[in-house]
PDB file of all heavy atoms in Angstrom:
ATOM      1  N   GLY C 225      -4.406  11.842  -7.403  1.00  0.00           N
ATOM      2  CA  GLY C 225      -5.524  12.485  -8.034  1.00  0.00           C
ATOM      3  C   GLY C 225      -5.782  13.874  -7.415  1.00  0.00           C
ATOM      4  O   GLY C 225      -5.598  14.073  -6.230  1.00  0.00           O
ATOM      5  N   THR C 226      -6.175  14.833  -8.263  1.00  0.00           N
ATOM      6  CA  THR C 226      -6.447  16.169  -7.775  1.00  0.00           C
ATOM      7  C   THR C 226      -7.676  16.200  -6.866  1.00  0.00           C
ATOM      8  O   THR C 226      -7.837  17.129  -6.064  1.00  0.00           O
ATOM      9  CB  THR C 226      -6.698  17.138  -8.925  1.00  0.00           C
ATOM     10  OG1 THR C 226      -7.813  16.668  -9.734  1.00  0.00           O
ATOM     11  CG2 THR C 226      -5.442  17.245  -9.838  1.00  0.00           C
ATOM     12  N   ASP C 227      -8.544  15.204  -6.970  1.00  0.00           N
ATOM     13  CA  ASP C 227      -9.744  15.169  -6.142  1.00  0.00           C
ATOM     14  C   ASP C 227      -9.652  14.117  -5.039  1.00  0.00           C
ATOM     15  O   ASP C 227     -10.661  13.639  -4.510  1.00  0.00           O
ATOM     16  CB  ASP C 227     -10.966  14.853  -7.007  1.00  0.00           C
ATOM     17  CG  ASP C 227     -11.234  15.902  -8.074  1.00  0.00           C
ATOM     18  OD1 ASP C 227     -10.848  17.059  -7.840  1.00  0.00           O
ATOM     19  OD2 ASP C 227     -11.840  15.584  -9.100  1.00  0.00           O
ATOM     20  N   ASP C 228      -8.421  13.799  -4.638  1.00  0.00           N
ATOM     21  CA  ASP C 228      -8.184  12.839  -3.554  1.00  0.00           C
ATOM     22  C   ASP C 228      -8.942  13.328  -2.304  1.00  0.00           C
ATOM     23  O   ASP C 228      -8.734  14.438  -1.855  1.00  0.00           O
ATOM     24  CB  ASP C 228      -6.685  12.722  -3.275  1.00  0.00           C
ATOM     25  CG  ASP C 228      -6.312  11.592  -2.357  1.00  0.00           C
ATOM     26  OD1 ASP C 228      -7.137  11.277  -1.454  1.00  0.00           O
ATOM     27  OD2 ASP C 228      -5.224  11.053  -2.481  1.00  0.00           O
ATOM     28  N   GLU C 229      -9.794  12.455  -1.759  1.00  0.00           N
ATOM     29  CA  GLU C 229     -10.623  12.832  -0.630  1.00  0.00           C
ATOM     30  C   GLU C 229      -9.897  12.709   0.718  1.00  0.00           C
ATOM     31  O   GLU C 229     -10.418  13.132   1.750  1.00  0.00           O
ATOM     32  CB  GLU C 229     -11.918  12.044  -0.606  1.00  0.00           C
ATOM     33  CG  GLU C 229     -11.763  10.519  -0.552  1.00  0.00           C
ATOM     34  CD  GLU C 229     -11.694   9.884  -1.929  1.00  0.00           C
ATOM     35  OE1 GLU C 229     -11.004  10.410  -2.839  1.00  0.00           O
ATOM     36  OE2 GLU C 229     -12.320   8.823  -2.098  1.00  0.00           O
ATOM     37  N   TYR C 230      -8.691  12.117   0.710  1.00  0.00           N
ATOM     38  CA  TYR C 230      -7.961  11.896   1.938  1.00  0.00           C
ATOM     39  C   TYR C 230      -6.695  12.755   2.124  1.00  0.00           C
ATOM     40  O   TYR C 230      -6.160  12.802   3.233  1.00  0.00           O
ATOM     41  CB  TYR C 230      -7.546  10.439   2.069  1.00  0.00           C
ATOM     42  CG  TYR C 230      -8.721   9.497   2.381  1.00  0.00           C
ATOM     43  CD1 TYR C 230      -9.257   8.755   1.375  1.00  0.00           C
ATOM     44  CD2 TYR C 230      -9.258   9.424   3.623  1.00  0.00           C
ATOM     45  CE1 TYR C 230     -10.357   7.922   1.613  1.00  0.00           C
ATOM     46  CE2 TYR C 230     -10.322   8.581   3.931  1.00  0.00           C
ATOM     47  CZ  TYR C 230     -10.882   7.841   2.909  1.00  0.00           C
ATOM     48  OH  TYR C 230     -11.927   7.003   3.164  1.00  0.00           O
ATOM     49  N   ALA C 231      -6.266  13.411   1.070  1.00  0.00           N
ATOM     50  CA  ALA C 231      -5.055  14.208   1.186  1.00  0.00           C
ATOM     51  C   ALA C 231      -4.917  15.167  -0.008  1.00  0.00           C
ATOM     52  O   ALA C 231      -5.528  14.961  -1.066  1.00  0.00           O
ATOM     53  CB  ALA C 231      -3.814  13.284   1.228  1.00  0.00           C
ATOM     54  N   SER C 232      -4.121  16.205   0.188  1.00  0.00           N
ATOM     55  CA  SER C 232      -3.872  17.183  -0.872  1.00  0.00           C
ATOM     56  C   SER C 232      -2.666  16.798  -1.673  1.00  0.00           C
ATOM     57  O   SER C 232      -1.884  15.901  -1.279  1.00  0.00           O
ATOM     58  CB  SER C 232      -3.708  18.561  -0.256  1.00  0.00           C
ATOM     59  OG  SER C 232      -2.414  18.662   0.357  1.00  0.00           O
ATOM     60  N   LEU C 233      -2.453  17.510  -2.795  1.00  0.00           N
ATOM     61  CA  LEU C 233      -1.285  17.240  -3.629  1.00  0.00           C
ATOM     62  C   LEU C 233       0.027  17.611  -2.980  1.00  0.00           C
ATOM     63  O   LEU C 233       1.095  17.277  -3.463  1.00  0.00           O
ATOM     64  CB  LEU C 233      -1.441  18.002  -4.953  1.00  0.00           C
ATOM     65  CG  LEU C 233      -2.529  17.546  -5.890  1.00  0.00           C
ATOM     66  CD1 LEU C 233      -2.604  18.442  -7.117  1.00  0.00           C
ATOM     67  CD2 LEU C 233      -2.350  16.095  -6.316  1.00  0.00           C
ATOM     68  N   ALA C 234      -0.053  18.279  -1.821  1.00  0.00           N
ATOM     69  CA  ALA C 234       1.170  18.624  -1.080  1.00  0.00           C
ATOM     70  C   ALA C 234       1.907  17.340  -0.717  1.00  0.00           C
ATOM     71  O   ALA C 234       3.138  17.364  -0.558  1.00  0.00           O
ATOM     72  CB  ALA C 234       0.787  19.378   0.196  1.00  0.00           C
ATOM     73  N   GLN C 235       1.208  16.224  -0.619  1.00  0.00           N
ATOM     74  CA  GLN C 235       1.896  14.969  -0.264  1.00  0.00           C
ATOM     75  C   GLN C 235       2.937  14.588  -1.284  1.00  0.00           C
ATOM     76  O   GLN C 235       4.087  14.316  -0.956  1.00  0.00           O
ATOM     77  CB  GLN C 235       0.842  13.852  -0.120  1.00  0.00           C
ATOM     78  CG  GLN C 235      -0.220  14.086   0.942  1.00  0.00           C
ATOM     79  CD  GLN C 235       0.271  13.841   2.362  1.00  0.00           C
ATOM     80  OE1 GLN C 235       1.253  13.147   2.610  1.00  0.00           O
ATOM     81  NE2 GLN C 235      -0.438  14.404   3.358  1.00  0.00           N
ATOM     82  N   ILE C 236       2.592  14.612  -2.569  1.00  0.00           N
ATOM     83  CA  ILE C 236       3.595  14.195  -3.586  1.00  0.00           C
ATOM     84  C   ILE C 236       4.580  15.304  -3.864  1.00  0.00           C
ATOM     85  O   ILE C 236       5.749  15.030  -4.199  1.00  0.00           O
ATOM     86  CB  ILE C 236       2.933  13.707  -4.903  1.00  0.00           C
ATOM     87  CG1 ILE C 236       2.067  14.733  -5.572  1.00  0.00           C
ATOM     88  CG2 ILE C 236       2.100  12.433  -4.611  1.00  0.00           C
ATOM     89  CD1 ILE C 236       1.611  14.366  -6.980  1.00  0.00           C
ATOM     90  N   TYR C 237       4.166  16.580  -3.683  1.00  0.00           N
ATOM     91  CA  TYR C 237       5.111  17.646  -3.922  1.00  0.00           C
ATOM     92  C   TYR C 237       6.127  17.739  -2.786  1.00  0.00           C
ATOM     93  O   TYR C 237       7.320  18.068  -3.032  1.00  0.00           O
ATOM     94  CB  TYR C 237       4.369  18.980  -4.110  1.00  0.00           C
ATOM     95  CG  TYR C 237       3.474  18.978  -5.341  1.00  0.00           C
ATOM     96  CD1 TYR C 237       2.284  19.676  -5.380  1.00  0.00           C
ATOM     97  CD2 TYR C 237       3.850  18.263  -6.500  1.00  0.00           C
ATOM     98  CE1 TYR C 237       1.482  19.677  -6.526  1.00  0.00           C
ATOM     99  CE2 TYR C 237       3.044  18.246  -7.625  1.00  0.00           C
ATOM    100  CZ  TYR C 237       1.855  18.971  -7.638  1.00  0.00           C
ATOM    101  OH  TYR C 237       1.069  18.959  -8.750  1.00  0.00           O
TER     102      TYR C 237
END
Side-chain angles (χ1 to χ4, degrees):
T226 59
D227 297 335
D228 191 328
E229 57 271 42
Y230 287 102
S232 73
L233 293 176
Q235 300 283 340
I236 61 170
Y237 296 147

